[in-house]
Coordinates of all heavy atoms in Angstrom, one line a residue:
I1 N 88.5 25.7 98.1 CA 88.4 26.9 97.2 C 87.0 27.4 97.1 O 86.1 26.6 96.9 CB 89.0 26.7 95.8 CG1 90.5 26.3 96.0 CG2 88.8 27.8 94.9 CD1 91.2 25.9 94.7
T2 N 86.8 28.6 97.3 CA 85.4 29.2 97.2 C 85.0 29.3 95.8 O 85.7 29.8 94.9 CB 85.4 30.6 97.8 OG1 85.9 30.5 99.2 CG2 84.0 31.2 97.8
Q3 N 83.8 28.8 95.5 CA 83.2 28.9 94.2 C 82.4 30.2 94.1 O 81.6 30.5 94.9 CB 82.3 27.7 93.9 CG 83.1 26.4 93.9 CD 84.0 26.3 92.7 OE1 83.7 26.8 91.6 NE2 85.1 25.5 92.9
H4 N 82.7 31.0 93.1 CA 82.0 32.2 92.8 C 80.9 32.0 91.9 O 81.0 31.2 91.0 CB 83.0 33.3 92.3 CG 84.1 33.7 93.3 ND1 83.8 34.4 94.4 CD2 85.4 33.3 93.3 CE1 85.0 34.5 95.1 NE2 85.9 33.9 94.5
K5 N 79.9 32.9 92.0 CA 78.7 32.7 91.1 C 78.9 33.5 89.8 O 78.0 33.4 89.0 CB 77.5 33.2 91.8 CG 77.1 32.3 93.0 CD 75.9 32.8 93.7 CE 75.6 32.0 94.9 NZ 74.4 32.4 95.6
Y6 N 80.0 34.2 89.7 CA 80.2 35.0 88.4 C 81.3 34.4 87.7 O 82.2 33.7 88.2 CB 80.4 36.5 88.8 CG 81.5 36.7 89.7 CD1 82.8 36.9 89.2 CD2 81.4 36.8 91.1 CE1 83.9 37.1 90.0 CE2 82.5 37.0 91.9 CZ 83.7 37.2 91.4 OH 84.8 37.4 92.2
V7 N 81.4 34.8 86.4 CA 82.5 34.3 85.5 C 83.0 35.5 84.8 O 82.3 36.4 84.3 CB 81.9 33.3 84.4 CG1 83.0 32.9 83.5 CG2 81.3 32.1 85.1
M8 N 84.4 35.6 84.8 CA 85.0 36.7 84.2 C 85.5 36.2 82.8 O 86.1 35.2 82.7 CB 86.2 37.2 85.0 CG 85.8 37.9 86.3 SD 87.2 38.4 87.3 CE 88.1 39.5 86.2
R9 N 85.2 37.0 81.8 CA 85.7 36.6 80.5 C 87.1 37.3 80.3 O 87.3 38.4 80.7 CB 84.8 37.1 79.4 CG 83.4 36.4 79.4 CD 82.4 36.9 78.4 NE 82.3 36.4 77.1 CZ 82.4 35.2 76.6 NH1 82.8 34.2 77.4 NH2 82.2 34.9 75.4
T10 N 88.0 36.5 79.6 CA 89.3 37.1 79.3 C 89.8 36.5 78.0 O 89.3 35.5 77.5 CB 90.3 36.8 80.5 OG1 91.5 37.5 80.3 CG2 90.6 35.3 80.6
T11 N 90.8 37.1 77.5 CA 91.5 36.6 76.3 C 92.9 36.3 76.6 O 93.6 37.0 77.3 CB 91.4 37.7 75.2 OG1 90.1 38.0 74.9 CG2 92.1 37.2 73.9
L12 N 93.3 35.1 76.2 CA 94.7 34.7 76.4 C 95.4 34.3 75.1 O 94.8 33.8 74.2 CB 94.7 33.4 77.3 CG 94.1 33.5 78.7 CD1 94.0 32.1 79.3 CD2 94.9 34.4 79.5
D13 N 96.7 34.6 75.0 CA 97.5 34.2 73.9 C 98.2 33.0 74.4 O 99.0 33.0 75.4 CB 98.5 35.3 73.5 CG 97.8 36.5 72.9 OD1 96.8 36.3 72.2 OD2 98.3 37.6 73.1
I14 N 97.9 31.8 73.8 CA 98.5 30.5 74.3 C 99.3 29.9 73.2 O 98.9 29.9 72.0 CB 97.4 29.5 74.7 CG1 96.6 30.2 75.8 CG2 98.0 28.2 75.1 CD1 95.4 29.3 76.2
N15 N 100.5 29.4 73.5 CA 101.4 28.7 72.6 C 100.6 27.7 71.8 O 99.8 26.9 72.4 CB 102.5 28.1 73.4 CG 103.4 27.2 72.5 OD1 103.0 26.1 72.2 ND2 104.5 27.7 72.1
D16 N 100.7 27.6 70.5 CA 99.9 26.7 69.7 C 100.1 25.2 70.1 O 99.1 24.5 70.2 CB 100.4 26.8 68.2 CG 99.9 28.1 67.6 OD1 99.0 28.8 68.1 OD2 100.5 28.5 66.5
T17 N 101.3 24.8 70.4 CA 101.5 23.4 70.8 C 100.8 23.1 72.1 O 100.1 22.1 72.2 CB 103.0 23.1 70.9 OG1 103.6 23.5 69.7 CG2 103.3 21.7 71.2
L18 N 100.9 24.0 73.0 CA 100.2 23.8 74.3 C 98.7 23.8 74.2 O 98.0 23.0 74.8 CB 100.7 24.9 75.3 CG 100.2 24.8 76.7 CD1 100.7 23.5 77.4 CD2 100.7 26.0 77.5
L19 N 98.2 24.7 73.3 CA 96.7 24.7 73.1 C 96.2 23.4 72.5 O 95.2 22.9 72.9 CB 96.4 25.9 72.2 CG 94.9 26.1 72.0 CD1 94.1 26.2 73.2 CD2 94.7 27.3 71.0
I20 N 97.0 22.9 71.5 CA 96.6 21.6 70.9 C 96.6 20.5 71.9 O 95.6 19.7 71.9 CB 97.6 21.3 69.7 CG1 97.4 22.3 68.5 CG2 97.4 19.9 69.2 CD1 98.4 22.2 67.5
E21 N 97.6 20.5 72.8 CA 97.6 19.4 73.8 C 96.5 19.6 74.8 O 95.9 18.6 75.2 CB 99.0 19.5 74.6 CG 100.2 19.0 73.7 CD 101.4 19.0 74.5 OE1 101.4 18.6 75.7 OE2 102.5 19.4 74.0
A22 N 96.2 20.8 75.1 CA 95.0 21.0 76.1 C 93.7 20.6 75.4 O 92.9 20.0 76.1 CB 95.0 22.5 76.4
K23 N 93.6 20.9 74.1 CA 92.3 20.4 73.4 C 92.3 18.9 73.3 O 91.2 18.4 73.5 CB 92.3 21.1 72.0 CG 92.0 22.5 72.0 CD 91.9 23.1 70.6 CE 91.5 24.5 70.6 NZ 91.4 25.1 69.2
Q24 N 93.4 18.3 73.2 CA 93.4 16.8 73.1 C 93.0 16.2 74.5 O 92.2 15.3 74.6 CB 94.8 16.3 72.7 CG 95.1 16.5 71.3 CD 96.6 16.1 70.9 OE1 97.4 16.0 71.8 NE2 96.8 16.0 69.6
I25 N 93.5 16.9 75.6 CA 93.1 16.4 76.9 C 91.6 16.6 77.1 O 91.0 15.7 77.6 CB 93.9 17.2 78.0 CG1 95.4 16.8 77.9 CG2 93.3 17.0 79.4 CD1 96.3 17.7 78.8
A26 N 91.1 17.7 76.7 CA 89.7 18.0 76.8 C 88.9 16.9 76.1 O 87.9 16.4 76.6 CB 89.3 19.4 76.3
A27 N 89.3 16.6 74.8 CA 88.6 15.6 74.1 C 88.6 14.2 74.7 O 87.6 13.5 74.8 CB 89.2 15.5 72.6
E28 N 89.8 13.8 75.2 CA 90.0 12.5 75.9 C 89.2 12.4 77.1 O 88.7 11.3 77.4 CB 91.5 12.3 76.2 CG 92.4 12.1 75.0 CD 93.9 12.2 75.4 OE1 94.2 12.3 76.6 OE2 94.7 12.1 74.4
Q29 N 89.0 13.5 77.8 CA 88.2 13.5 79.1 C 86.8 13.9 78.9 O 86.0 13.9 79.8 CB 88.9 14.5 80.1 CG 90.3 14.0 80.5 CD 90.9 15.0 81.5 OE1 90.3 16.1 81.8 NE2 92.0 14.6 82.1
H30 N 86.4 14.1 77.6 CA 85.0 14.4 77.3 C 84.6 15.7 78.1 O 83.5 15.7 78.7 CB 84.0 13.3 77.5 CG 84.4 12.0 76.8 ND1 84.3 11.9 75.4 CD2 85.0 10.9 77.2 CE1 84.8 10.8 75.0 NE2 85.2 10.1 76.1
T31 N 85.4 16.7 78.1 CA 85.1 17.9 78.8 C 85.5 19.1 77.9 O 85.9 18.9 76.8 CB 85.9 17.9 80.2 OG1 85.4 19.0 80.9 CG2 87.4 18.1 80.0
S32 N 85.3 20.3 78.4 CA 85.6 21.5 77.6 C 87.0 21.9 77.8 O 87.7 21.6 78.8 CB 84.6 22.6 78.0 OG 84.9 23.0 79.4
L33 N 87.5 22.7 76.9 CA 88.8 23.4 77.0 C 88.8 24.3 78.3 O 89.8 24.3 79.0 CB 89.1 24.2 75.8 CG 90.4 24.9 75.8 CD1 91.6 23.9 75.9 CD2 90.6 25.7 74.5
K34 N 87.7 25.0 78.5 CA 87.5 25.8 79.7 C 87.8 25.0 80.9 O 88.5 25.5 81.8 CB 86.1 26.4 79.7 CG 85.9 27.2 81.0 CD 84.4 27.7 81.0 CE 84.1 28.3 82.4 NZ 82.7 28.3 82.7
A35 N 87.2 23.8 81.0 CA 87.4 23.0 82.2 C 88.9 22.6 82.4 O 89.4 22.6 83.5 CB 86.5 21.8 82.2
V36 N 89.5 22.3 81.3 CA 90.9 21.9 81.4 C 91.8 23.1 81.8 O 92.7 22.9 82.7 CB 91.4 21.4 80.0 CG1 92.9 21.2 80.0 CG2 90.7 20.1 79.6
V37 N 91.5 24.2 81.3 CA 92.3 25.4 81.7 C 92.0 25.8 83.2 O 93.0 26.0 83.9 CB 92.0 26.6 80.8 CG1 92.6 27.9 81.3 CG2 92.4 26.4 79.4
E38 N 90.8 25.7 83.6 CA 90.4 26.0 85.0 C 91.1 25.0 85.9 O 91.6 25.4 87.0 CB 88.9 26.0 85.2 CG 88.2 27.2 84.6 CD 86.7 27.2 84.8 OE1 86.2 26.1 85.1 OE2 86.1 28.3 84.7
D39 N 91.1 23.7 85.6 CA 91.7 22.7 86.4 C 93.2 22.9 86.5 O 93.8 22.7 87.5 CB 91.4 21.3 85.9 CG 90.0 20.8 86.1 OD1 89.3 21.5 86.9 OD2 89.6 19.8 85.5
S40 N 93.8 23.3 85.4 CA 95.2 23.6 85.4 C 95.6 24.8 86.3 O 96.6 24.7 87.0 CB 95.7 23.9 83.9 OG 95.5 22.8 83.1
I41 N 94.8 25.8 86.2 CA 95.0 27.0 87.1 C 94.8 26.6 88.6 O 95.6 27.0 89.4 CB 94.1 28.1 86.7 CG1 94.5 28.6 85.3 CG2 94.2 29.3 87.7 CD1 93.6 29.7 84.7
R42 N 93.8 25.8 88.9 CA 93.5 25.3 90.2 C 94.7 24.5 90.7 O 95.2 24.7 91.9 CB 92.3 24.5 90.3 CG 91.0 25.3 90.4 CD 89.8 24.4 90.7 NE 88.6 25.0 90.3 CZ 88.0 24.9 89.1 NH1 88.5 24.0 88.2 NH2 86.9 25.6 88.8
F43 N 95.3 23.7 89.9 CA 96.4 22.9 90.3 C 97.6 23.7 90.6 O 98.3 23.5 91.6 CB 96.8 21.9 89.1 CG 98.0 21.0 89.4 CD1 97.8 19.9 90.3 CD2 99.2 21.3 88.9 CE1 98.9 19.1 90.5 CE2 100.3 20.5 89.2 CZ 100.2 19.4 90.0
L44 N 97.9 24.7 89.8 CA 99.0 25.6 90.0 C 98.8 26.4 91.3 O 99.8 26.6 92.1 CB 99.2 26.6 88.8 CG 100.3 27.6 88.9 CD1 101.7 27.0 89.0 CD2 100.2 28.6 87.7
V45 N 97.7 27.0 91.5 CA 97.4 27.8 92.7 C 97.5 26.9 93.9 O 98.1 27.3 94.9 CB 96.0 28.4 92.6 CG1 95.5 29.0 93.9 CG2 95.9 29.5 91.5
S46 N 97.0 25.7 93.9 CA 97.1 24.8 95.0 C 98.6 24.4 95.3 O 99.0 24.4 96.5 CB 96.3 23.5 94.7 OG 96.5 22.6 95.8
A47 N 99.4 24.2 94.3 CA 100.8 23.8 94.5 C 101.5 25.0 95.1 O 102.3 24.8 96.0 CB 101.4 23.4 93.2
R48 N 101.3 26.2 94.6 CA 101.9 27.4 95.2 C 101.5 27.6 96.6 O 102.3 28.0 97.5 CB 101.7 28.6 94.3 CG 102.3 28.5 93.0 CD 102.7 29.8 92.4 NE 103.5 29.7 91.2 CZ 103.6 30.6 90.3 NH1 103.0 31.7 90.5 NH2 104.4 30.4 89.3
R49 N 100.2 27.4 96.9 CA 99.8 27.6 98.3 C 100.5 26.6 99.2 O 100.9 27.0 100.3 CB 98.2 27.4 98.3 CG 97.6 27.7 99.7 CD 96.1 27.6 99.6 NE 95.6 28.7 98.8 CZ 94.7 28.5 97.8 NH1 94.3 27.2 97.5 NH2 94.2 29.5 97.1
Q50 N 100.6 25.3 98.8 CA 101.3 24.3 99.6 C 102.8 24.7 99.8 O 103.3 24.5 100.9 CB 101.2 23.0 98.9 CG 99.8 22.4 99.1 CD 99.7 21.0 98.4 OE1 100.5 20.7 97.5 NE2 98.7 20.2 98.8
E51 N 103.4 25.2 98.7 CA 104.8 25.7 98.9 C 105.0 26.7 99.9 O 105.9 26.7 100.7 CB 105.4 26.2 97.5 CG 105.6 25.1 96.5 CD 106.0 25.7 95.2 OE1 106.2 26.9 95.0 OE2 106.1 24.9 94.2
R52 N 104.0 27.7 99.9 CA 104.1 28.8 100.9 C 103.9 28.3 102.3 O 104.5 28.7 103.2 CB 103.1 29.9 100.5 CG 103.5 30.8 99.4 CD 102.6 32.0 99.3 NE 101.2 31.7 99.2 CZ 100.5 31.6 98.1 NH1 101.1 31.7 96.9 NH2 99.2 31.3 98.1
Q53 N 102.9 27.4 102.4 CA 102.6 26.8 103.8 C 103.8 26.0 104.3 O 104.2 26.1 105.5 CB 101.4 25.9 103.7 CG 100.1 26.7 103.6 CD 98.9 25.9 103.4 OE1 99.0 24.6 103.1 NE2 97.7 26.4 103.4
Q54 N 104.5 25.3 103.4 CA 105.7 24.5 103.8 C 106.8 25.4 104.2 O 107.5 25.2 105.2 CB 106.1 23.5 102.7 CG 105.1 22.4 102.6 CD 105.5 21.5 101.4 OE1 106.3 21.8 100.6 NE2 104.8 20.4 101.3
A55 N 107.0 26.5 103.4 CA 108.0 27.4 103.7 C 107.8 28.1 105.1 O 108.8 28.2 105.9 CB 108.1 28.5 102.6
V56 N 106.6 28.4 105.4 CA 106.3 29.0 106.7 C 106.5 28.0 107.8 O 107.1 28.2 108.9 CB 104.9 29.6 106.7 CG1 104.5 30.0 108.1 CG2 104.8 30.8 105.8
A57 N 106.0 26.8 107.6 CA 106.1 25.7 108.6 C 107.5 25.2 108.8 O 107.8 24.7 109.9 CB 105.2 24.5 108.1
N58 N 108.4 25.4 107.9 CA 109.8 24.9 108.1 C 110.8 26.0 108.7 O 112.0 25.8 108.6 CB 110.3 24.4 106.8 CG 109.6 23.1 106.4 OD1 109.1 22.4 107.2 ND2 109.5 22.9 105.1
W59 N 110.3 27.0 109.3 CA 111.2 28.0 109.8 C 111.8 27.4 111.1 O 111.2 26.7 111.9 CB 110.4 29.3 110.3 CG 110.1 30.2 109.1 CD1 109.5 29.8 108.0 CD2 110.3 31.5 109.1 NE1 109.3 30.9 107.2 CE2 109.8 32.0 107.8 CE3 110.9 32.5 109.9 CZ2 109.9 33.3 107.4 CZ3 110.9 33.8 109.5 CH2 110.5 34.2 108.3
P60 N 113.1 27.6 111.2 CA 113.8 27.1 112.4 C 113.3 27.8 113.7 O 113.0 29.0 113.7 CB 115.3 27.4 112.2 CG 115.3 28.5 111.2 CD 114.0 28.3 110.4
V61 N 113.2 27.0 114.7 CA 112.7 27.6 116.0 C 113.8 27.3 117.1 O 114.2 26.1 117.2 CB 111.4 26.9 116.4 CG1 110.9 27.4 117.8 CG2 110.3 27.2 115.3
C62 N 114.1 28.3 117.8 CA 115.1 28.1 118.9 C 114.4 28.5 120.2 O 114.1 29.7 120.4 CB 116.3 29.0 118.7 SG 117.5 28.8 120.0
S63 N 114.0 27.5 121.0 CA 113.2 27.8 122.2 C 114.0 28.4 123.3 O 113.4 28.9 124.3 CB 112.4 26.6 122.6 OG 113.3 25.6 122.9
Q64 N 115.3 28.2 123.3 CA 116.1 28.6 124.4 C 116.9 29.9 124.1 O 117.8 30.3 124.8 CB 117.1 27.5 124.8 CG 116.4 26.3 125.2 CD 117.3 25.1 125.6 OE1 118.5 25.3 125.6 NE2 116.8 24.0 125.9
A65 N 116.6 30.6 123.0 CA 117.3 31.8 122.7 C 117.0 32.9 123.7 O 115.9 33.0 124.2 CB 117.0 32.2 121.3
R66 N 118.0 33.7 123.9 CA 117.9 34.9 124.8 C 118.4 36.1 124.1 O 119.3 36.0 123.3 CB 118.7 34.7 126.1 CG 118.3 33.4 126.9 CD 117.0 33.7 127.7 NE 116.6 32.5 128.5 CZ 115.8 31.5 128.2 NH1 115.3 31.5 127.0 NH2 115.6 30.6 129.0
P67 N 117.8 37.3 124.4 CA 118.3 38.5 123.7 C 119.8 38.7 124.2 O 120.2 38.4 125.3 CB 117.4 39.6 124.3 CG 116.2 38.9 124.7 CD 116.6 37.5 125.2
V68 N 120.6 39.3 123.3 CA 121.9 39.6 123.6 C 121.9 40.8 124.6 O 121.2 41.8 124.3 CB 122.7 40.0 122.3 CG1 124.1 40.4 122.6 CG2 122.7 38.8 121.4
P69 N 122.7 40.7 125.6 CA 122.7 41.8 126.6 C 123.1 43.1 125.9 O 124.0 43.2 125.0 CB 123.8 41.4 127.6 CG 123.9 39.9 127.5 CD 123.6 39.6 126.1
G70 N 122.4 44.2 126.2 CA 122.7 45.5 125.6 C 121.9 45.8 124.3 O 122.0 46.9 123.7
V71 N 121.2 44.8 123.8 CA 120.5 45.0 122.5 C 119.0 45.3 122.8 O 118.3 44.5 123.5 CB 120.6 43.7 121.6 CG1 119.7 43.9 120.4 CG2 122.0 43.4 121.3
D72 N 118.6 46.4 122.4 CA 117.2 46.9 122.6 C 116.3 46.4 121.4 O 116.4 47.0 120.3 CB 117.1 48.4 122.8 CG 115.7 48.9 123.1 OD1 114.8 48.0 123.1 OD2 115.6 50.1 123.4
L73 N 115.5 45.4 121.6 CA 114.7 44.9 120.5 C 113.6 45.8 120.0 O 112.9 45.6 119.0 CB 114.1 43.5 120.9 CG 115.2 42.4 121.2 CD1 114.5 41.1 121.6 CD2 116.1 42.2 119.9
T74 N 113.4 46.9 120.8 CA 112.3 47.8 120.4 C 112.8 48.9 119.5 O 112.0 49.7 119.1 CB 111.6 48.4 121.7 OG1 112.6 49.1 122.4 CG2 111.0 47.3 122.6
R75 N 114.1 49.0 119.3 CA 114.7 50.1 118.5 C 115.1 49.5 117.2 O 116.2 49.0 117.1 CB 115.8 50.8 119.2 CG 115.4 51.5 120.5 CD 116.5 52.3 121.2 NE 117.2 53.1 120.2 CZ 118.5 53.2 120.1 NH1 119.3 52.5 120.9 NH2 119.1 54.0 119.3
T76 N 114.3 49.6 116.2 CA 114.6 49.0 114.9 C 115.9 49.6 114.3 O 116.7 48.8 113.7 CB 113.5 49.3 113.9 OG1 112.2 48.9 114.5 CG2 113.7 48.6 112.6
S77 N 116.1 50.9 114.4 CA 117.3 51.5 113.8 C 118.6 50.9 114.5 O 119.6 50.6 113.8 CB 117.3 53.0 113.9 OG 117.2 53.4 115.3
A78 N 118.6 50.7 115.8 CA 119.7 50.1 116.5 C 120.0 48.7 116.0 O 121.1 48.2 115.8 CB 119.5 50.1 118.0
L79 N 118.9 47.9 115.8 CA 119.0 46.5 115.3 C 119.6 46.5 113.9 O 120.5 45.7 113.6 CB 117.6 45.8 115.3 CG 117.0 45.5 116.7 CD1 115.6 45.0 116.5 CD2 117.9 44.5 117.4
M80 N 119.2 47.4 113.1 CA 119.8 47.5 111.7 C 121.2 47.8 111.8 O 122.0 47.3 111.0 CB 119.0 48.5 110.9 CG 117.6 48.0 110.6 SD 116.6 49.2 109.6 CE 117.4 49.1 108.1
D81 N 121.6 48.7 112.7 CA 123.0 49.1 112.8 C 123.9 47.9 113.2 O 125.0 47.7 112.7 CB 123.2 50.2 113.9 CG 122.7 51.5 113.4 OD1 122.5 51.7 112.2 OD2 122.5 52.4 114.3
L82 N 123.3 47.0 114.1 CA 124.0 45.8 114.5 C 124.2 44.8 113.4 O 125.1 44.0 113.4 CB 123.3 45.2 115.7 CG 123.4 46.0 117.0 CD1 122.5 45.4 118.1 CD2 124.8 46.0 117.6
T83 N 123.2 44.7 112.5 CA 123.2 43.7 111.5 C 123.9 44.1 110.2 O 124.2 43.3 109.4 CB 121.8 43.2 111.2 OG1 121.1 44.4 110.7 CG2 121.1 42.6 112.4
E84 N 124.2 45.4 110.1 CA 124.9 45.8 108.9 C 126.4 45.3 108.9 O 127.0 45.3 109.9 CB 124.9 47.4 108.8 CG 123.5 47.9 108.4 CD 123.6 49.4 108.3 OE1 124.6 50.0 108.5 OE2 122.5 50.0 108.1
T85 N 126.8 44.9 107.7 CA 128.2 44.5 107.5 C 129.0 45.7 107.0 O 128.5 46.5 106.2 CB 128.3 43.3 106.6 OG1 127.7 43.7 105.3 CG2 127.6 42.1 107.1
P86 N 130.3 45.8 107.5 CA 131.1 46.9 107.0 C 131.4 46.9 105.6 O 131.4 46.0 104.9 CB 132.4 46.8 107.9 CG 132.3 45.5 108.6 CD 131.0 44.9 108.4

């Protein structure tokens, strides 16, 4: 992840119970609430990035597939007509 040299200020409304827990984590780790929130966001962003990469990587591949005779793959409208259900 690229570290930027600037910091954006923002205001968040956070559930009281969640905020108390986050402050407790910060105290236990001898760090700031800001660091806990940033780490949490980094974790979420990383998890979502991994999910997207796995989804792309798990696409089925058929190496022996051939176009159906009479189907023009360059005509999008014709392909849509073929895939529409009555």
Side-chain angles (χ1 to χ4, degrees):
I1 296 176
T2 304
Q3 296 292 329
H4 297 284
K5 295 181 181 180
Y6 57 89
V7 176
M8 293 177 57
R9 289 175 95 38
T10 190
T11 302
L12 300 172
D13 292 324
I14 300 175
N15 174 281
D16 289 343
T17 304
L18 187 59
L19 181 60
I20 290 168
E21 289 183 43
K23 286 181 177 183
Q24 288 173 343
I25 291 169
E28 290 167 5
Q29 295 180 352
H30 305 288
T31 190
S32 66
L33 178 61
K34 174 187 172 200
V36 171
V37 171
E38 286 179 341
D39 287 347
S40 300
I41 294 171
R42 279 189 200 95
F43 179 80
L44 176 63
V45 169
S46 175
R48 291 209 173 161
R49 187 175 293 128
Q50 287 179 339
E51 287 174 7
R52 284 193 305 267
Q53 288 173 349
Q54 288 174 351
V56 170
N58 291 331
W59 282 50
V61 176
C62 182
S63 60
Q64 298 178 6
R66 302 283 186 265
V68 175
V71 176
D72 184 357
L73 298 178
T74 62
R75 292 184 53 228
T76 307
S77 59
L79 291 172
M80 292 178 70
D81 290 343
L82 289 171
T83 59
E84 287 181 2
T85 55

